Amino acid sequence: MHNDDTKHGVQLFMTVALLLSGVVCGAAAAGTKITTHSLLLPDLKIPEIQTELDHKKMADQTGTTSLMVNDLPDDISGDGSGSPAYQIILKAVREELRQSRPTYALKILENDPLAKKLKHAEFDRIKAQIAQSYLMEGKVARALVIAEQAIERSGKMVPLAGWIAGQASWRNNDYARAAEMFGVCAKSPKASAWLASGGAYWAARSATRAGNQSEAKEWHKKAAQFPRTFYGLISLKALGRDFDFNWEQPDLSSSNKKKLGLDIKVSAALRLSRGGELSAATTALGSSSWMKTEEGRRALLAYFQYKKDPALTLFLARNTRDEDGRFYDTALYPDSPWEPKDGYDVDKAIINALIRQESRFNPHAVSRTGAQGLMQIMPSTAQYIAGNVEHPLSHPETNIEVGQKYVKYLLNDKVVNNDLFKMAVAYNAGPGNLSRWKNDLKDIDDPMLFIESIPSGETRAFVERVMLNYWIYRLQMGKEVPSLDAVAFLDQPDAI
């Protein structure tokens, strides 16, 4: 029941039972059982091989169901900028929060003379982050009080406070109040697309549990305005709407193909990109005359797709639309042109999803902690999973070969149990952290609430972005996505 290639009807029949046990997603195994003995490893104390990766990559999402308006939003926090005083206090507060000391953080906010000079909305935005820290520590009542204080004074100007108050109210089974608080988040003009769609999705679920189906439907419609976000795509599915993605590719005329092949700056960009110097490559492109017009960018995009350079394709996709004003989803979600030596024995959609999040298809990417290549594999991971590899981890085929072995290893882990959501948690934070969080959160049987209760914001964001990538890649491949169906119909499947 974990395989997204399983027949859709059977999956829906078992959805409720599976979700009650925390099993919410399809496995990545591509049609064959995972029986390789070298991957069925004993329960050893392995190094925390994927715990400190550099995941400060923003997602490439856009705005509406028609995919025709708004730029692709980068901001995921809804925090935005602030005055110099705000930045100083925020830095001091976050230092305390990193050490899990929200009470000390609150004392700084309430007693520092500089904090008293903050605008009300700035003060309350910081207060919301302190409330979030209390919530992650399991101090639900305290989190709710502080978040509601921020909302009472600043309202929709502090969307995070609405999000925290909604989560706390949900945990208290106060679903009517949760819907109201999540609504504050969803309606906020300061909320990013990710935060607004998340607030609307949870408002819909809260309204459903409160018995207000018509309100739930309206909130799902609100979330579905952002279909390239995790919660937006789920709500779109809950409404039974078609996925209006643009799978077309820009045309590459023979004359443009020849001109681009002779262009010195374009050739330099390709050379630099393939050498792992993406920053230099994009700089070279920036001064190219092809970048100055929409038509020129379409020709460039088509050329990079022809040259099978997914890193430059993805870069350019953010700035290129078709004649109807739509982004090219085949470019926003490019296919990996590389294959492991013995082919894929893991669903390529999950490999693409991980590569897109981890390295943006740069084979030479290296994180500040030493993770390398397309799938950001730590050398210790490669040694443990695959032994001595023939090529360096910057070699694309080798990196994917090791990466898919690691994915299979994680899927076989008894805590992951073939669950893609949990696999993504373990891939980002390590199997040990997943085990600890499962134990700490053992009273939570709601799979989406489990994700939102993970104390690492980096890991929460990673899971949601990888799963969104995975679903969109499956849709692009023309495959069913029962794992998306499962999370779309958590509450009363026939209600929407």
Side-chain angles (χ1 to χ4, degrees):
M1 289 309 301
H2 297 277
N3 194 327
D4 263 11
D5 290 314
T6 303
K7 292 296 184 181
H8 183 65
V10 177
Q11 187 277 334
L12 285 178
F13 177 76
M14 294 295 292
T15 292
V16 174
L18 288 173
L19 292 173
L20 289 175
S21 65
V23 180
V24 300
C25 68
T32 57
K33 283 190 175 182
I34 303 170
T35 57
T36 308
H37 294 295
S38 63
L39 296 174
L40 297 174
L41 302 176
D43 192 18
L44 302 175
K45 259 193 172 178
I46 68 172
E48 284 301 313
I49 42 189
Q50 297 293 97
T51 57
E52 299 180 23
L53 303 187
D54 182 16
H55 295 309
K56 292 189 177 178
K57 314 169 187 88
M58 298 302 179
D60 291 317
Q61 268 69 35
T62 191
T64 65
T65 305
S66 67
L67 314 185
M68 290 178 63
V69 299
N70 297 332
D71 292 332
L72 298 170
D74 278 330
D75 175 60
I76 62 170
S77 68
D79 187 54
S81 60
S83 66
Y86 169 79
Q87 297 297 339
I88 291 171
I89 298 299
L90 179 63
K91 182 178 180 181
V93 165
R94 281 182 170 172
E95 184 58 37
E96 297 298 332
L97 297 183
R98 287 190 190 98
Q99 301 177 57
S100 299
R101 302 188 341 169
T103 301
Y104 283 94
L106 189 59
K107 287 180 179 179
I108 290 174
L109 184 63
E110 291 178 339
N111 299 316
D112 191 286
L114 189 59
K116 297 181 186 299
K117 298 179 181 179
L118 296 176
K119 296 177 181 177
H120 287 172
E122 290 183 330
F123 187 97
D124 290 330
R125 281 159 60 191
I126 297 176
K127 201 168 191 177
Q129 295 192 33
I130 296 172
Q132 184 176 42
S133 183
Y134 277 119
L135 185 67
M136 291 298 101
E137 289 187 0
K139 297 176 181 178
V140 177
R142 186 64 174 148
L144 182 58
V145 168
I146 294 173
E148 287 185 330
Q149 288 173 352
I151 293 170
E152 184 177 355
R153 184 167 67 170
S154 298
K156 291 188 291 185
M157 300 305 290
V158 283
L160 180 61
W163 174 263
I164 299 305
Q167 289 287 335
S169 298
W170 176 282
R171 286 163 169 79
N172 289 336
N173 299 321
D174 187 352
Y175 299 116
R177 181 63 171 166
E180 181 184 356
M181 293 295 96
F182 282 127
V184 171
C185 173
K187 293 179 179 179
S188 171
K190 297 294 184 180
S192 68
W194 280 81
L195 193 54
S197 61
Y201 165 85
W202 278 96
R205 286 197 67 191
S206 301
T208 296
R209 291 204 174 189
N212 193 333
Q213 305 300 338
S214 60
E215 181 183 334
K217 187 172 183 178
E218 292 306 308
W219 282 122
H220 274 305
K221 288 179 179 179
K222 172 70 173 176
Q225 292 176 10
F226 308 101
R228 289 199 191 93
T229 65
F230 176 73
Y231 285 120
L233 190 58
I234 294 173
S235 282
L236 197 64
K237 183 65 175 178
L239 291 167
R241 291 188 183 176
D242 294 332
F243 300 100
D244 189 21
F245 294 104
N246 179 18
W247 303 131
E248 298 297 322
Q249 292 189 6
D251 293 328
L252 179 62
S253 68
S254 57
S255 61
N256 278 340
K257 179 179 174 182
K258 184 176 180 179
K259 290 176 185 177
L260 286 160
L262 295 173
D263 190 293
I264 295 175
K265 293 178 180 178
V266 173
S267 297
L270 279 168
R271 184 180 67 256
L272 290 165
S273 174
R274 289 169 180 174
E277 300 180 58
L278 272 180
S279 179
T282 57
T283 299
L285 274 183
S287 60
S288 168
S289 60
W290 295 92
M291 291 290 290
K292 295 180 180 179
T293 66
E294 194 73 63
E295 184 178 356
R297 290 192 294 274
R298 283 197 289 268
L300 262 180
L301 183 59
Y303 187 68
F304 291 146
Q305 288 182 309
Y306 165 73
K307 285 292 187 178
K308 298 186 184 301
D309 190 312
L312 285 178
T313 295
L314 180 54
F315 164 76
L316 199 60
R318 297 179 53 81
N319 303 294
T320 308
R321 302 176 189 240
D322 67 12
E323 292 84 349
D324 296 323
R326 301 186 303 166
F327 291 105
Y328 291 98
D329 288 287
T330 53
L332 284 171
Y333 297 88
D335 186 28
S336 167
W338 306 287
E339 284 207 13
K341 182 174 61 176
D342 297 322
Y344 285 96
D345 54 5
V346 166
D347 185 352
K348 191 177 181 181
I350 193 60
I351 301 301
N352 277 343
L354 287 165
I355 292 174
R356 187 182 187 276
Q357 176 64 21
E358 290 283 18
S359 68
R360 294 187 177 276
F361 293 90
N362 179 5
H364 298 274
V366 179
S367 80
R368 61 188 175 189
T369 57
Q372 299 177 23
L374 291 169
M375 298 184 71
Q376 289 292 275
I377 303 296
M378 295 292 287
S380 56
T381 306
Q383 178 66 33
Y384 184 79
I385 293 296
N388 295 321
V389 294
E390 183 179 353
H391 300 287
L393 291 173
S394 59
H395 184 256
E397 291 81 2
T398 298
N399 193 280
I400 294 175
E401 183 178 350
V402 174
Q404 76 169 353
K405 284 183 179 180
Y406 185 51
V407 169
K408 288 174 66 174
Y409 165 71
L410 291 176
L411 287 168
N412 275 312
D413 182 88
K414 63 182 180 181
V415 177
V416 175
N417 191 29
N418 220 27
D419 183 321
L420 273 182
F421 280 85
K422 295 187 182 73
M423 185 281 294
V425 173
Y427 196 97
N428 176 261
N433 278 326
L434 172 63
S435 296
R436 186 173 77 252
W437 294 334
K438 281 286 292 178
N439 183 65
D440 292 346
L441 303 171
K442 59 181 177 293
D443 294 332
I444 295 178
D445 60 5
D446 185 301
M448 304 303 278
L449 186 60
F450 175 78
I451 293 171
E452 295 301 344
S453 300
I454 292 172
S456 167
E458 174 192 310
T459 300
R460 293 194 302 273
F462 180 86
V463 172
E464 292 175 8
R465 278 147 188 77
V466 167
M467 290 307 299
L468 174 70
N469 292 346
Y470 170 67
W471 292 332
I472 293 179
Y473 274 115
R474 291 279 296 188
L475 292 169
Q476 185 180 145
M477 294 173 179
K479 296 183 178 181
E480 293 181 345
V481 195
S483 58
L484 176 57
D485 296 335
V487 293
F489 301 112
L490 281 171
D491 300 291
Q492 301 180 17
D494 297 327
I496 300 301

